[in-house]
Amino acid sequence: ETGVTQTPRHLVMGMTNKKSLKCEQHLGHNAMYWYKQSAKKPLELMFVYSLEERVENNSVPSRFSPECPNSSHLFLHLHTLQPEDSALYLCASSQGSRVNYGYTFGSGTRLTVV
Amino acid sequence: AQKVTQAQTEISVVEKEDVTLDCVYETRDTTYYLFWYKQPPSGELVFLIRRNSFDEQNEISGRYSWNFQKSTSSFNFTITASQVVDSAVYFCALSEGSSSNTGKLIFGQGTTLQVKP
C-alpha cells in the first residue's frame, strides 16, 4: 500500500453509463492529481487540485468531471464516455503543490468502455 | 517546452546482467527536477529517485545507480545484477521547479524491462 487508495481497481462501463472513480490519501498531502495512462502513450496529466481548489485542467473533455470535497478525497465522475477513454486512471498526491516534493501514486483504476 | 524522451521502448535481459535505461530531457528552466518511477504489473508508480538540476552527483542505492549529465541533458538509470523482480515499466519524469505553483510532472513514454531467469 502506497498511502493512496483508488477504487474500484477495475471498471467496465457502457457508453451511456455514469460512474465515479474514487481516490483517498491519508498522507497529509494537500495536492492531488488525476493522470490518464493509455497504451503506448505517456502519462497524461488531467487535473490538479491544490488545497481543494482546481488549479489545472488540461483540456480534458467535459465527460470527465473531477471533484475534490476535501484534501483527502478526489473523485473523477464519468458520463457518456467513448471507447477511446479506456485506460488506466491514476491518482497521485503530493505535499505542497510544487511537484519537486514528488508524487505518491495509487494503483490505478483500469477502465474499459464498451 | 518540456519534454522527456525514453528512446528504449522495451529491453530484455537475462538475470544478473547489468542494464541501463536511457532518459533525455528538454527544458528551458535552469531550475528543474528529474525523477524515476517504477511501475510493476500491479499498476502503481513507485518513486525511485528525485534529482534537482543543481546536483550533478551520481547516486547509488543498492543495485540502482543514476547518472545525471547536464551537458547532454540525460539522466540515465542503471540496474546492476538485474533480478526477475526488476521486471516493470520504468518512467523518467521532469518538473520545472521555477514554473507555476501547481505541481506538474512530465513523463517519458516509459521503458518496459523484462528480466528473464
Side-chain angles (χ1 to χ4, degrees):
Chain A
E1 286 299 323
T2 65
V4 178
T5 304
Q6 289 188 244
T7 53
R9 290 296 307 272
H10 301 274
L11 177 62
V12 179
M13 60 186 287
M15 288 190 282
T16 58
N17 291 159
K18 290 184 181 180
K19 296 285 184 184
S20 296
L21 310 185
K22 180 181 176 183
C23 176
E24 190 171 351
Q25 59 93 5
H26 298 290
L27 301 169
H29 290 170
N30 55 18
M32 297 186 78
Y33 313 82
W34 279 116
Y35 271 84
K36 176 183 178 183
Q37 185 178 21
S38 305
K40 301 186 193 286
K41 281 187 169 183
L43 279 84
E44 302 169 62
L45 178 65
M46 299 175 73
F47 301 105
V48 179
Y49 275 83
S50 175
L51 298 170
E52 303 152 39
E53 182 182 339
R54 189 192 310 181
V55 295
E56 184 148 348
N57 174 348
N58 268 5
S59 304
V60 179
S62 59
R63 57 185 185 269
F64 295 92
S65 173
E67 179 190 2
C68 187
N70 55 61
S71 59
S72 298
H73 294 86
L74 183 65
F75 295 89
L76 188 63
H77 303 299
L78 317 170
H79 64 97
T80 58
L81 294 192
Q82 305 298 311
E84 61 264 28
D85 297 322
S86 299
L88 179 67
Y89 288 85
L90 288 159
C91 173
S93 68
S94 68
Q95 180 55 41
S97 57
R98 284 193 174 274
V99 77
N100 50 0
Y101 292 107
Y103 287 175
T104 300
F105 280 89
S107 298
T109 295
R110 175 71 61 186
L111 173 67
T112 303
V113 181
V114 297
Chain B
Q2 304 174 67
K3 186 179 178 183
V4 177
T5 303
Q6 294 178 255
Q8 304 149 307
T9 306
E10 293 182 20
I11 301 176
S12 181
V13 299
V14 176
E15 211 170 15
K16 297 184 183 173
E17 284 184 21
D18 298 348
V19 58
T20 295
L21 310 182
D22 298 333
C23 173
V24 174
Y25 61 91
E26 295 175 29
T27 177
R28 293 193 197 120
D29 269 18
T30 55
T31 302
Y32 53 89
Y33 298 84
L34 296 163
F35 301 79
W36 276 95
Y37 281 85
K38 173 182 179 180
Q39 187 178 38
S42 52
E44 77 279 12
L45 273 79
V46 178
F47 169 82
L48 296 178
I49 190 172
R50 178 190 71 203
R51 230 2 168 208
N52 74 55
S53 51
F54 299 107
D55 183 0
E56 282 194 78
Q57 273 196 348
N58 291 329
E59 179 153 340
I60 298 174
S61 176
R63 295 184 297 105
Y64 294 172
S65 62
W66 290 269
N67 184 354
F68 176 30
Q69 296 207 347
K70 284 177 80 169
S71 59
T72 55
S73 297
S74 65
F75 186 44
N76 296 338
F77 172 31
T78 297
I79 302 175
T80 303
S82 59
Q83 300 176 1
V84 172
V85 294
D86 295 327
S87 298
V89 183
Y90 290 86
F91 290 94
C92 182
L94 164 73
S95 167
E96 289 175 342
S98 60
S99 59
S100 72
N101 289 325
T102 62
K104 189 172 181 178
L105 272 180
I106 303 299
F107 287 86
Q109 291 194 293
T111 297
T112 300
L113 174 65
Q114 184 182 34
V115 181
K116 298 177 181 176

